[in-house]
Amino acid sequence: MKVYVVDNGGQWTHREWRVLKYLKVETKIVPNTTPFDELKDLDGLVLSGGAPSVACDSNRMGNNGDYLDMATFPILGICAGMQFMSQHFGSTLGPANVPEFGEVRLKVSDHSDLFAGLPDEFVVWGSHNDEVKTVPEGFRLTASSPSCKVEGIACVDRPLYGVQFHPEVENSEHGTEIFQNFLNIIKDRK
Amino acid sequence: MTGLFDEQGFIDEAVEMVRESIPAPGKAIIACSGGVDSMVTATLASRAIGDRLLAIYVDSGLMRKGETEEVEAMMKRMGINYRVVRAADEYFDALKGIEDPEGKRKAIGEKFIRVFERQAREFGATYLLQGTIAPDWIESGDGVRDTIKSHHNVGGLPKDMNMTLVEPLRDLYKDEVRQVARKLGVEASERQPFPGPALAIRCLGEVTPEKVEIVREACFIVEDEIMKAVGAKEAVRPWQYFAVLLPSKSVGVQGDRRAYGYTVAVRAVDSVDGMTATFSKLPLEILNRISVRITDEMKSQVNRVVYDITSKPPATIEWE
């Protein structure tokens, strides 16, 4: 199975690569300027977080839009990756009412995909200044936190998923399982 | 998530990588601080190129108490070619008047390279091995990534450096390096992380020999008390633990006399990979012993001790 990580400049992009490597997936970090054509044979893609404020610096998000429009394989957007995904499909972003750095108390409302088999509430880690203000049309909300409503989303009719927090860091509980669930979604489609 | 890393596979690949990167009769020096990253790199490189390797330890005047002697003894026991360079004056000169943390890191990074270049010339080496690991280049920033701090071995490298870099540990984090170190039997496997710019970045603001002396002693007390407590099973050993000298002074009272001295911040964190960390929930009794010992033994300089209760993010582990 081939799942690459698109580098949007995150501090933890390489950690996403490490988790995938540990899960025995063929993986590589690629710049977000990589043409979709070079990625079209993948089985899945992770859009990393990054320093850009997506709302203002969307030019620094490279070809993320192409990947979202052209891919038929599953995509998981993390932090800025999810924010870009949401904006791309019509929702608004803005500075977070309460930014979250470090511990976040996650409340899962939908266990059907990324959160399959996980508890209703657990601790994850976030690091974000901006947030997604509304769930984009055609998506459902999968998780929230006391400070941030949109912590997790999933597209209704395409395999697109997003999380505001960082399942790839050590301090996030069930982080590896979230990645494994993403890989299971890929496997089930094959 | 540990245990999924294949140390032996990595060791074989890394030795091969060094062998291919430094073909005979090419020679290399390795920047060796005595920490686990550089000692693992030295061990791998020594397997790959044997006597064509020279390890250089620089006593920058910024190292911890007794560290130079400790590292020299370790290198001797390893049986590799090594040299200890004493260059404290050069480092303090380079740091004079610099308050900005990035300025300090870059001045130190450049100084290291100038020292290494001189040593390389003498040894006839054209390659520089470094124990650079993933957080070093991630946090140093690049085209797409913000600079959180310029690690001396990446963001602090001068542009006109004339040696070829070889960095076999670039994709590893500290927990993985330790696994490799244990597999290789490297003595430094459990040493706590210590940054390249050393005590210079634990001394906020301008660095002077006097301030480094204060923070060196405070760091020693923190390490000593924590290791004693760990030995007595009063606490689990934190991932990293040290003291930071703050640049501001505050009022105190010592033996009925007014005191006006520095504040020392104690930092102890738990982490796996250094990319996220939580402050250690040390028992208050241990923090009390640290505080009393610092303010008693260092009464002429320090009259206040605080404990840092911030995680990473939003803080970083070191203060600069």
Side-chain angles (χ1 to χ4, degrees), chain B residues 29-31 91 101-117 127-133 136-137 139-141 147 149-167 170 196-197:
Chain B
I29 59 166
I30 169 154
Y91 282 78
E102 280 297 288
K104 284 155 71 170
R105 285 176 167 272
K106 290 201 163 136
I108 290 169
E110 163 148 28
K111 191 42 72 186
F112 270 120
I113 292 303
R114 298 308 170 216
V115 171
F116 295 144
E117 280 173 345
Y127 297 90
L128 172 64
L129 279 147
Q130 295 198 124
T132 306
I133 61 172
D136 301 340
W137 61 261
E139 295 190 336
S140 290
T147 301
K149 44 180 75 169
S150 297
H151 288 253
H152 71 289
N153 51 341
V154 184
L157 295 178
K159 290 195 173 59
D160 61 351
M161 179 182 109
N162 59 18
M163 291 173 287
T164 307
L165 273 184
V166 181
E167 301 178 316
R170 275 184 74 88

Side-chain angles (χ1 to χ4, degrees), chain B residues 199 201-206 208 210-216 218-219 243-248 261-266 298 301-302 319-320:
Chain B
L199 299 176
I201 53 163
R202 291 183 180 173
C203 200
L204 305 198
E206 192 184 352
T208 62
E210 297 73 33
K211 285 188 165 182
V212 167
E213 204 43 60
I214 298 173
V215 81
R216 176 179 290 132
C219 276
V244 180
L245 180 65
L246 307 193
S248 54
Y262 286 114
T263 298
V264 158
V266 174
M298 306 180 67
Q301 298 97 12
V302 182
W319 279 39
E320 288 195 332

Side-chain angles (χ1 to χ4, degrees), chain A:
Chain A
M1 192 192 291
K2 247 164 120 170
V3 181
Y4 285 7
V5 179
V6 171
D7 186 6
N8 291 316
Q11 287 294 302
W12 298 321
T13 302
H14 189 266
R15 278 289 327 200
E16 290 152 10
W17 172 85
R18 169 170 155 168
V19 174
L20 290 169
K21 187 179 69 155
Y22 276 29
L23 291 172
K24 308 275 181 229
V25 167
E26 191 183 334
T27 185
K28 199 163 107 178
I29 297 173
V30 293
N32 66 13
T33 48
T34 310
F36 176 74
D37 217 38
E38 291 174 27
L39 304 177
K40 63 180 193 304
D41 297 327
L42 297 182
D43 300 303
L45 198 58
V46 172
L47 311 179
S48 86
S53 171
V54 177
C56 337
D57 297 324
S58 56
N59 57 320
R60 288 174 64 192
M61 294 300 283
N63 295 329
N64 280 273
D66 285 356
Y67 311 150
L68 289 167
D69 289 337
M70 292 151 104
T72 51
F73 50 71
I75 297 181
L76 169 61
I78 296 177
C79 196
M82 177 188 93
Q83 292 173 7
F84 183 86
M85 182 185 285
S86 302
Q87 187 185 47
H88 188 73
F89 293 111
S91 80
T92 4
L93 310 177
N97 288 336
V98 184
E100 297 169 305
F101 306 111
E103 189 173 299
V104 170
R105 301 203 157 267
L106 191 74
K107 213 171 171 163
V108 176
S109 50
D110 185 333
H111 290 83
S112 45
D113 31 61
L114 285 187
F115 302 109
L118 301 186
D120 294 341
E121 285 186 45
F122 53 96
V123 169
V124 293
W125 273 34
S127 190
H128 64 112
N129 293 291
D130 293 340
E131 68 184 3
V132 176
K133 295 295 181 189
T134 52
V135 178
E137 222 181 291
F139 281 71
R140 55 200 156 77
L141 184 69
T142 57
S144 305
S145 79
S147 303
C148 173
K149 186 185 149 209
V150 186
E151 285 283 350
I153 54 169
C155 184
V156 173
D157 53 12
R158 290 184 55 201
L160 306 176
Y161 308 90
V163 286
Q164 178 56 69
F165 61 92
H166 290 269
E168 70 276 20
V169 304
E170 287 289 338
N171 296 77
S172 284
E173 293 172 1
H174 305 296
T176 309
E177 289 146 278
I178 292 169
F179 273 92
Q180 187 58 59
N181 281 337
F182 179 60
L183 299 182
N184 291 345
I185 292 167
I186 296 172
K187 243 180 259 159
D188 291 347
R189 291 173 55 84
K190 286 185 128 187

Side-chain angles (χ1 to χ4, degrees), chain B residues 74-90:
Chain B
M74 240 188 318
M75 293 195 294
K76 201 175 274 174
R77 285 192 289 272
M78 276 169 76
I80 50 169
N81 294 325
Y82 74 88
R83 190 172 292 169
V84 172
V85 181
R86 290 172 209 279
D89 293 347
E90 278 185 59

Side-chain angles (χ1 to χ4, degrees), chain B residues 37 47 70 98 121 142 224 233 274:
Chain B
D37 306 337
R47 284 194 182 182
E70 197 183 318
I98 306 179
R121 219 170 300 134
D142 50 36
D224 191 48
K233 303 219 182 324

